[in-house]
């Protein structure tokens, strides 16, 4: 009979965002069980040191830990985020916001955008964006929490944070240590495996001795110390679709209006991010080294900054893709150790959350049932693939051909899952739903319409009402949105009002 002895020890290798998120979640969810949790991190190696923009799901993660929002925001210099502004993606000069929310209400079960397509076909000039509360609030630098009144337009959105991920990890470390997680500072120099099963038995930490565990969580970053270094699991390289492989990151001074959104501006060989925190603005240039030299990429970044730099630019290299198995034997790779997709839609921290949630749902005993491991790998694989397709959409739904990189995407053979979606949209205005899709229809609509991918047809059901009635309903939505935004507080004022301001006051007036 299979050994069903429960896991009694978990060792997390790595103390970046992934390591401390895993430690915090496990120490909370496994409280009361006879399981010890240890974490090893090395100050000498350090963390990747970037990762500032998040997705709304992180609120559920924090809520499950009982974290108070204002306290977390003060500790991490956080601002609120209503979406991402994309500049120059469809054509040079274009601008749209991918919001954390919807566009107008469905009418007779037909999505609002179908009516908007009908009005547009008839010559109506109004922007779809004007029917979205989070977009208009973001454009006006306003923020409030969603209303609990589901009839109110202020209930039609979610929100996330822009924060210092290093400070977030430190915040979670305090949380996890209070819950009993033990931390070892030092470098893992050797991994010992069971000769028969191949499972990792223990790791040796320089000058600290050996740490044994039943389950290891590899959060060691790009190097994948256990999943790759010890188990040689292999990596699926997705550079064919997402060729960006370098980044240069630099913080600048905080100046001007505190925007409740992240910005991603397309460049000739990649794109540039701008993420406003309370105490500084995070900036970076993600690019493909086949299409631009490191020096040119540096110059493009520096000449496009809108405030003085606060530190020297830092360079990073990566290969887009995923580990062939996220869970191999008794090692589960979470965070950069599991894979990396460029940060265009702020998905990495979210994938850490997925990795932890799926692990808790399938938490093993010492038999390590192969069906559970296979299910974990299937689910995590889908999470990564869905996001890959959505990221790729940004590069192919474009009219830009002004540089080698944009021309590269013109001839690219897309994954079937994405080309079917694009075809259904262009020919019928229909959005095929994915199993496991992180990004829901409004996100796809935002990018497709924002990048001028206009469907040839709209849903015939949108014809059921007279043109005048549809037009009046749309005008009423716009009016509701505008009037709600006028009553929404200024973003910085709201942060202060809820007691979430850390260094916000000092940043004012520069
Ligand atoms: P790391 O931060 O690299 O941590 C690895 C840990 O392992 C460290 O503590 C290190 O000391 C330890 N370690 C490694 N080797 C050893 C050893 N031998 N012994 C002991 N300890 C060891 N994500 C987002 O969600 N939003 C963003 O806006 C975003 N922007 C990004 C921009 C760029 C350019 C890049 C590259 C990534 C970005 N990310 C973003 C991803 C994000 O940075 C990571 O997902 C997140 O920081 C988690 O990293 P990690 O904990 O997996 O790895």
């Amino acid at each position: 009979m299979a050994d069903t002895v429960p896991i009694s020890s978990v060792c997390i290798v790595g103390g970046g965002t992934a390591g401390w998120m895993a430690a915090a979640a496990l120490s909370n969810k496994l409280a009361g069980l006879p399981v010890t949790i240890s974490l090893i991190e090395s100050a000498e190696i350090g963390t990747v040191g970037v990762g500032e923009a998040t997705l709304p799901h992180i609120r559920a993660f924090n809520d499950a830990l009982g974290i108070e929002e204002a306290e977390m925001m003060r500790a991490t210099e956080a601002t609120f985020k209503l979406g991402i502004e994309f500049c120059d993606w469809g054509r040079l000069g274009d601008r749209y916001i991918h919001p954390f929310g919807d566009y107008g209400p469905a009418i007779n079960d037909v999505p609002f955008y179908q009516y908007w397509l009908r009005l547009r076909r008839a010559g109506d000039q109004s922007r779809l964006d004007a029917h979205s509360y989070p977009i208009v609030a973001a454009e006006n630098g306003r923020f409030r929490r969603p209303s609990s009144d589901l009839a109110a337009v202020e209930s039609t959105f979610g929100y996330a944070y822009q924060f210092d991920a290093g400070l977030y990890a430190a915040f979670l470390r305090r949380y996890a240590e209070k819950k009993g997680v033990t931390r070892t500072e030092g470098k893992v120099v050797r991994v010992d495996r069971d000769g028969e099963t191949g499972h990792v038995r223990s790791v040796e930490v320089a000058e600290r001795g050996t740490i044994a565990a039943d389950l290891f969580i590899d959060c060691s970053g790009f190097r994948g110390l256990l999943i790759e270094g010890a188990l040689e699991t292999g990596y699926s390289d997705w550079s064919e679709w997402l060729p960006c492989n370098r980044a240069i990151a630099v913080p600048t001074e905080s100046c001007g209006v505190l925007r409740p959104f992240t910005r991603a501006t397309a460049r000739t060989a990649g794109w540039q991010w701008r993420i406003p925190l309370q105490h500084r603005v995070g900036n970076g240039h993600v690019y493909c080294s086949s299409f631009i030299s490191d020096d040119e990429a540096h110059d493009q970044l520096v000449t496009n900054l809108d405030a003085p730099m606060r530190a020297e630019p830092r360079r990073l290299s990566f290969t887009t893709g995923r580990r062939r198995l996220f869970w191999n034997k008794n090692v589960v790779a979470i965070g950069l150790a599991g894979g990396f997709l460029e940060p265009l839609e702020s998905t990495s921290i979210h994938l850490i959350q997925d990795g932890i949630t799926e692990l808790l749902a399938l938490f093993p005993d010492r038999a390590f049932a192969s069906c559970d491991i296979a299910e974990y790998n299937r689910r995590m694989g889908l999470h990564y693939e869905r996001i890959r397709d959505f990221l790729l959409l940004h590069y192919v739904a474009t009219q830009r051909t002004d540089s080698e990189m944009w021309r590269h995407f013109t001839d690219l053979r897309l994954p079937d899952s994405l080309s079917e979606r694009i075809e259904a949209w262009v020919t019928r205005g229909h959005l095929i739903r994915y199993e496991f899709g992180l990004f829901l229809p409004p996100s796809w609509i935002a990018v497709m319409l924002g990048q001028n991918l206009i469907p040839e047809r709209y849903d015939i059901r949108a014809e059921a009402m007279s043109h005048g009635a549809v037009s009046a309903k749309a005008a009423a939505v716009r009016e509701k949105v505008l009037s709600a935004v006028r009553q929404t507080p200024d973003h910085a004022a709201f942060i202060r009002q809820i007691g979430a301001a850390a260094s916000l006051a000092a940043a004012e007036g520069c």
Side-chain angles (χ1 to χ4, degrees), residues 13-19 40-43 45-54 186-188 219-223 225 247 273 275 286 316 318 334-337 340 343 346-350 352:
V13 176
T17 321
I40 306 164
E41 64 179 323
S42 159
I45 293 174
T47 64
V48 70
V50 277
E52 296 159 330
T54 64
K187 204 165 158 180
V188 172
C219 295
S220 64
F222 287 129
R223 52 182 60 74
L225 196 69
W273 80 77
I275 306 177
V286 172
L316 299 125
F318 52 84
I334 293 181
L336 299 174
F340 182 62
S346 324
T347 45
S348 287
I349 293 175
H350 177 79
I352 295 172

